[in-house]
Amino acid sequence: MTQKGNASRERITAIANNLIYTKGYNQTSVAEVADAVGITKGNLNYHFRSKDDLLQAVIANRITTIIATLQQWDHDYPQAKSKLKRFVQMLRSEEESIVRYGCPMGSLNVELGKDQLPLKDKAWQMFDLYQKWLAKIFVQLGYKNSKSMSKHLLVMAQGAALMSYIYSDKKLLREECDRIEEWIDSI
Amino acid sequence: MTQKGNASRERITAIANNLIYTKGYNQTSVAEVADAVGITKGNLNYHFRSKDDLLQAVIANRITTIIATLQQWDHDYPQAKSKLKRFVQMLRSEEESIVRYGCPMGSLNVELGKDQLPLKDKAWQMFDLYQKWLAKIFVQLGYKNSKSMSKHLLVMAQGAALMSYIYSDKKLLREECDRIEEWIDSI
DNA sequence: GTCTATAAGAAGATAGAC
DNA sequence: GTCTATCTTCTTATAGAC
């Protein structure tokens, strides 16, 4: 709560995003965020009138990132199965943080799910972006049950992220990625 | 924080267990637990010197239950694959609560994982009981990689529980159980 | 915009009477 | 064992000066 700090909304949001991911939303105080940014609580409350308001901005930010990522993937990987593999690849490239902090989407949804329903809806949208994107691909692949298939892929990815997080086990995460990719090849 | 209440440790633990499951540990206050039990905070603090102490008792309780359950399953289902199916069956019979509150083990581990390391170790033991029990079965089935196989089954089960919880989707949970059972048949 | 100061409440835990 | 009362700390949020 010292230092100077040019505190644009974006700057605060980015730092809050990181803290909320690594510590959890309820376990992160606004004082901590302000401290990390280098401003005072009072100043932070000028930019965001409430803690929930801050989380909304964080989630909105994540949603924007996800949309951009999916567009990029659509552009980079024309083939349907390549898109699916790219999705799995995300688990591999993020293995370090997943094993330490879990999946940012999964953790946040679990945390908000028990109460705080209005915010949960926002957090839920993150999942739905991936799900709808995946479903589109399964349609391309000729599946009638594209929704079920896309959710199944999310189930495997979330299960892999969750268990490798709980066991702090990179090897497990890699093995599960292998299995998911085998599954993609087999369909 | 009114009413009379014969407050044995067991009674408090059972009620706390339920609240912690449905609301989450950090979102459950000791005042709430005391209220649900029908005693005062002061009294609760007589039985459990701290909130962490209370959670330890809750987890110890769960561990005892898990051990008893696994022994029962060992007794009731002599065949290896029947044991695995019984494990999956748990997801089906608990679908109502899983869809509403998630998996009690998974949620607690995620919640404690971000900080509170001493308690996480305790919570982690719950998972390990299942994992070791499953691994034993895969050994029976002749698998060299029994550990990997047992964790894979946990991955699928946890993924199914998590996603069906996030989507509040019983149909998804059932479909994923079907897939897991198909997998068991195929190995 | 950014600060200091402070309000207002919640939560965990303790002291002491009964 | 169980209660009432109190303490302390943490947390969110506001008020007002600069």
Side-chain angles (χ1 to χ4, degrees):
Chain A
M1 228 159 330
T2 39
Q3 308 176 229
K4 55 84 222 277
N6 77 320
S8 59
R9 263 182 83 95
E10 285 70 28
R11 191 170 132 69
I12 298 171
T13 306
I15 289 173
N17 179 54
N18 199 48
L19 277 171
I20 288 170
Y21 172 39
T22 57
K23 300 200 48 176
Y25 175 63
N26 291 313
Q27 285 67 52
T28 303
S29 68
V30 294
E32 249 175 315
V33 175
D35 216 41
V37 175
I39 59 176
T40 58
K41 287 183 296 176
N43 190 1
L44 200 154
N45 267 103
Y46 166 79
H47 291 286
F48 300 90
R49 54 169 52 87
S50 75
K51 191 186 176 186
D52 280 11
D53 192 30
L54 177 57
L55 180 58
Q56 288 229 24
V58 167
I59 294 176
N61 216 47
R62 289 189 190 180
I63 285 175
T64 304
T65 302
I66 292 170
I67 291 172
T69 299
L70 295 179
Q71 278 180 347
Q72 187 65 41
W73 289 354
D74 272 330
H75 174 266
D76 291 350
Y77 304 87
Q79 292 189 340
K81 286 202 178 183
S82 305
K83 287 191 176 71
L84 298 183
K85 294 250 179 110
R86 183 60 188 84
F87 175 75
V88 179
Q89 179 59 31
M90 178 172 51
L91 292 176
R92 294 191 191 275
S93 57
E94 300 294 320
E95 73 168 20
E96 203 75 45
S97 57
I98 287 173
V99 164
R100 267 185 92 164
Y101 308 112
C103 168
M105 285 195 302
S107 305
L108 188 59
N109 270 278
V110 168
E111 200 179 354
L112 298 179
K114 303 265 179 176
D115 43 359
Q116 300 165 87
L117 289 189
L119 285 169
K120 186 191 174 173
D121 277 3
K122 274 268 172 199
W124 183 82
Q125 289 175 29
M126 294 190 288
F127 264 107
D128 226 40
L129 282 169
Y130 282 109
Q131 190 266 313
K132 287 197 162 56
W133 183 77
L134 290 170
K136 220 174 48 193
I137 297 169
F138 283 108
V139 169
Q140 256 184 280
L141 286 168
Y143 283 90
K144 298 287 182 197
N145 60 339
S146 62
K147 198 166 181 176
S148 167
M149 294 292 277
S150 62
K151 287 191 176 180
H152 179 57
L153 185 43
L154 283 172
V155 162
M156 293 189 291
Q158 283 297 309
L162 179 62
M163 290 302 298
S164 57
Y165 165 59
I166 288 173
Y167 275 92
S168 300
D169 189 341
K170 280 187 207 172
K171 184 166 146 285
L172 173 60
L173 184 56
R174 287 179 201 144
E175 281 179 6
E176 290 300 321
C177 285
D178 291 344
R179 286 184 205 266
I180 299 174
E181 283 165 352
E182 278 170 34
W183 176 77
I184 292 172
D185 286 328
S186 76
I187 63 174
Chain B
M1 228 165 327
T2 38
Q3 309 176 231
K4 54 81 222 268
N6 76 322
S8 61
R9 261 182 85 94
E10 285 69 28
R11 191 170 132 71
I12 298 171
T13 307
I15 289 173
N17 179 54
N18 198 50
L19 277 171
I20 288 171
Y21 172 39
T22 57
K23 298 200 50 176
Y25 176 62
N26 291 314
Q27 284 67 52
T28 302
S29 68
V30 294
E32 249 175 315
V33 175
D35 216 40
V37 175
I39 59 176
T40 59
K41 285 187 297 176
N43 190 3
L44 200 154
N45 267 104
Y46 166 78
H47 291 286
F48 300 91
R49 54 170 49 87
S50 75
K51 191 186 176 186
D52 280 12
D53 192 29
L54 177 57
L55 180 59
Q56 288 228 25
V58 167
I59 295 176
N61 216 47
R62 288 189 190 181
I63 285 176
T64 303
T65 302
I66 292 170
I67 291 173
T69 299
L70 294 179
Q71 278 181 346
Q72 186 66 41
W73 288 354
D74 271 331
H75 174 268
D76 290 352
Y77 304 88
Q79 293 190 339
K81 286 201 178 184
S82 305
K83 287 191 177 73
L84 298 182
K85 294 250 179 110
R86 183 59 188 84
F87 175 76
V88 179
Q89 181 58 30
M90 178 172 50
L91 292 176
R92 295 191 191 276
S93 57
E94 299 294 320
E95 73 168 19
E96 203 74 44
S97 56
I98 288 173
V99 163
R100 268 186 91 163
Y101 307 113
C103 167
M105 286 195 303
S107 306
L108 188 58
N109 270 278
V110 168
E111 199 179 355
L112 298 178
K114 304 267 179 175
D115 43 0
Q116 302 165 89
L117 290 188
L119 285 169
K120 186 190 174 174
D121 277 2
K122 274 270 172 197
W124 182 83
Q125 289 175 30
M126 294 190 288
F127 264 107
D128 226 39
L129 283 169
Y130 282 109
Q131 191 266 311
K132 288 197 162 56
W133 183 78
L134 290 170
K136 219 173 51 192
I137 297 169
F138 284 108
V139 169
Q140 256 183 280
L141 286 167
Y143 282 91
K144 299 287 184 196
N145 61 340
S146 62
K147 199 166 180 174
S148 167
M149 294 292 277
S150 63
K151 286 190 177 181
H152 178 57
L153 185 44
L154 282 172
V155 162
M156 292 189 291
Q158 283 296 310
L162 179 61
M163 289 303 297
S164 57
Y165 164 60
I166 289 173
Y167 275 92
S168 300
D169 189 340
K170 280 187 207 172
K171 184 166 147 285
L172 173 60
L173 184 56
R174 288 180 200 145
E175 281 179 5
E176 290 299 322
C177 285
D178 291 344
R179 286 183 203 266
I180 299 173
E181 283 165 352
E182 277 170 34
W183 176 77
I184 292 173
D185 286 328
S186 76
I187 63 173

